[in-house]
Amino acid sequence: MTSSYEDGPHMTMQPWFNDAKLGIFVHYGIYSVEGVPESWSLFDGVMPHEQYMRQLDRFTASAFDAAAWARLFARAGAGYAVLTARHHDGVALWDTQLSDLNVVRRSPAGRDLVAEYASAMRDSGLRVGLYYSHSDWNHPDYASVRHPRPPHPELVASPYVSPSPGAEDPRAWNRYLDYRDGQVRELLTRFSPDLLWFDGEWERSADQWRMAELAQVIRDLAPETVCNSRLLGHGDYATPEQGLPISAPESDWELCLTVNDSWGYRPHDVNHKTVGQLVRYFAQTIGMGGNLLLGVGPRADGTVPPEQARRLEGLGDWIRRHSEAVHASVAGLPPGHHYGPSTLAPDRRTLYLICFDPPSETVCVRGLRNAVRRVTVLGAGTELAHRRTGGLHDVPGDLWIDAPAPSDLAPHGSVLALELDGEMELYTGQGRG
């Protein structure tokens, strides 16, 4: 699939991205000390600026173990991870040479967490993603120009974002952009990320952000680095959040989803999705051709909360049992052919039907032109009888597959593998009038 963000410097999407299927999104920063919303508690006045920034003094990362993160993410079945190298609050998790506002110099942690993270992910075979916010609500030159046509006026009216009327300072803004570009260069040259995940783009127009110039810097320094669409016209894939789109984006894409309702560590947020719900989100996403970027929020000491770790491991158990239907697969049947999601093998000769609920009597597939050589239950190997009914002229009729025995069903959803005679062909018409 080609990207729809091809109006600026771009690259061909790297094959690893679509093969990965699952990424882990890690929101980690000083906000975990008080367990408040990342950066937004500062912006919204939930916490006064001075109190928010005092979290630096208690950010220890005392149990931060990037290798343990990597092992957990690998057990979850992830192919990549994305760490918040710098959120909107401007606090960097690496030893940036462009500011002392980083946890290496200003917090008891005293460690370059990005360096440790990148090394550990690579040692475990995971691709390295880094989140970076265009906006910085702490930088002295940031609130210096106004958005000419803000998509969210209520957000850009803040003094953290925009100057008072008549007080714009284009020179200060250019200093800020030089700072941002310098930090992006640091991330690229020091850590060689496989992916850059930008955010905060709504606060300025693409021209104000100098997005074309930044995109060219990235392509010149790291032509194989994948970038998300929040590079405003120059990214490689779309990033819907917190809910599956009804129709898949036309570009490559990834669904960003939290395990509970929060991105960062919020001890009072106990509304965790079940493993079964996460399996459904994951299966529906890959069945539509996307990746799932699943968000976790480590505590201030660097440990992933056990209730989140257990859910990652539960999702990983399901992925391992059904890896044949997951890795290197492509989007399966369009809606209307099967009551659940599905995927296709890369050669389009094996169709995988995902059944979340125990099938009653039979599983039906409509509009499949191919003869079916064999149907088996993934993870059990049991072969299932199948037959076709109906069909007239150009209409292929319906395929009926006997329901698996209860002993062959997998927790949270079972997968039936249909070996097709040739590459999958579908009938999508309205039938004979």
Side-chain angles (χ1 to χ4, degrees):
M1 184 182 294
T2 58
S3 172
S4 63
Y5 305 100
E6 295 185 349
D7 51 339
H10 66 283
M11 49 169 277
T12 302
M13 174 57 81
Q14 297 298 304
W16 70 261
F17 180 83
N18 286 316
D19 291 345
K21 305 304 180 189
L22 178 67
I24 306 299
F25 205 177
V26 187
H27 279 64
Y28 185 45
I30 65 170
Y31 38 84
S32 59
V33 172
E34 294 280 356
V36 294
E38 61 293 333
S39 302
W40 289 99
S41 52
L42 166 69
F43 182 93
D44 293 332
V46 173
M47 178 177 284
H49 182 275
E50 183 181 353
Q51 182 183 353
Y52 183 92
M53 297 309 296
R54 277 204 305 266
Q55 293 178 101
L56 271 166
D57 300 333
R58 292 180 288 145
F59 183 74
T60 66
S62 57
F64 175 78
D65 183 347
W69 281 11
R71 291 191 296 270
L72 172 62
F73 301 165
R75 291 197 300 274
Y80 64 108
V82 178
L83 172 66
T84 50
R86 201 211 75 190
H87 209 266
H88 314 318
D89 61 12
V91 181
L93 299 190
W94 80 99
D95 189 16
T96 175
Q97 301 304 298
L98 298 172
S99 167
D100 70 347
L101 188 52
N102 63 76
V103 300
V104 185
R105 301 184 210 173
R106 293 276 299 278
S107 81
R111 302 159 62 180
D112 191 318
L113 303 180
V114 173
E116 294 182 38
Y117 155 84
S119 177
M121 295 302 132
R122 290 202 170 94
D123 287 347
S124 290
L126 277 73
R127 298 281 180 167
V128 174
L130 296 176
Y131 168 111
Y132 184 85
S133 175
H134 295 292
S135 56
D136 184 338
W137 297 332
N138 259 308
H139 196 283
D141 291 325
Y142 183 67
S144 49
V145 295
R146 307 176 71 85
H147 193 306
R149 294 174 299 278
H152 305 289
E154 73 283 3
L155 294 180
V156 302
S158 167
Y160 287 118
V161 177
S162 301
S164 57
E168 289 191 293
D169 186 348
R171 288 181 297 179
W173 177 244
N174 280 320
R175 287 197 302 268
Y176 173 74
L177 290 180
D178 290 344
Y179 167 79
R180 178 207 59 178
D181 293 353
Q183 285 200 322
V184 172
R185 285 190 182 93
E186 281 187 336
L187 293 175
L188 291 170
T189 55
R190 289 190 53 191
F191 308 116
S192 302
D194 300 289
L195 185 151
L196 281 178
W197 210 103
F198 287 102
D199 200 10
E201 80 296 340
W202 65 87
E203 297 191 341
R204 302 286 187 274
S205 68
D207 286 343
Q208 285 177 313
W209 283 123
R210 296 193 322 215
M211 286 298 194
E213 292 87 340
L214 177 60
Q216 191 62 61
V217 167
I218 296 167
R219 300 316 180 206
D220 288 344
L221 286 176
E224 295 186 354
T225 296
V226 175
C227 296
N228 70 338
S229 58
R230 300 177 193 194
L231 207 52
L232 291 182
H234 304 277
D236 302 305
Y237 70 94
T239 53
E241 287 188 34
Q242 295 290 49
L244 270 165
I246 300 303
S247 301
E250 294 182 3
S251 66
D252 297 297
W253 64 283
E254 144 196 283
L255 171 65
C256 310
L257 184 77
T258 49
V259 171
N260 53 6
D261 291 332
S262 307
W263 294 109
Y265 175 60
R266 300 294 308 282
H268 302 298
D269 181 358
V270 296
N271 191 29
H272 293 88
K273 298 170 182 67
T274 65
V275 173
Q277 288 173 320
L278 294 177
V279 167
R280 288 190 183 225
Y281 272 114
F282 176 70
Q284 290 169 330
T285 300
I286 66 172
M288 295 170 66
N291 287 358
L292 177 63
L293 185 63
L294 186 58
V296 298
R299 295 175 289 206
D301 66 1
T303 57
V304 176
E307 58 271 25
Q308 296 195 353
R310 287 194 298 269
R311 285 161 172 80
L312 294 188
E313 291 175 335
L315 176 58
D317 290 341
W318 190 90
I319 291 174
R320 274 186 295 279
R321 176 167 178 152
H322 304 107
S323 60
E324 180 185 323
V326 173
H327 297 296
S329 67
V330 297
L333 296 166
H337 293 269
H338 166 56
Y339 76 89
S342 60
T343 61
L344 262 177
D347 64 5
R348 303 183 64 82
R349 292 173 178 267
T350 304
L351 173 65
Y352 302 99
L353 306 179
I354 302 167
C355 304
F356 294 133
D357 302 306
S360 175
E361 186 181 348
T362 54
V363 174
C364 182
V365 181
R366 297 184 293 169
L368 182 64
R369 293 190 181 281
N370 305 70
V372 176
R373 295 176 174 176
R374 194 165 75 115
V375 179
T376 55
V377 183
L378 280 193
T382 306
E383 188 166 346
L384 302 176
H386 59 278
R387 68 202 66 82
R388 195 181 293 269
T389 62
L392 178 66
H393 303 306
D394 190 44
V395 182
D398 300 321
L399 177 71
W400 299 90
I401 303 165
D402 284 357
S407 58
D408 289 333
L409 295 175
H412 313 304
S414 299
V415 180
L416 311 185
L418 282 61
E419 297 178 19
L420 308 179
D421 185 7
E423 296 185 20
M424 187 178 75
E425 296 182 49
L426 296 179
Y427 170 79
T428 58
Q430 299 178 347
R432 187 172 181 226

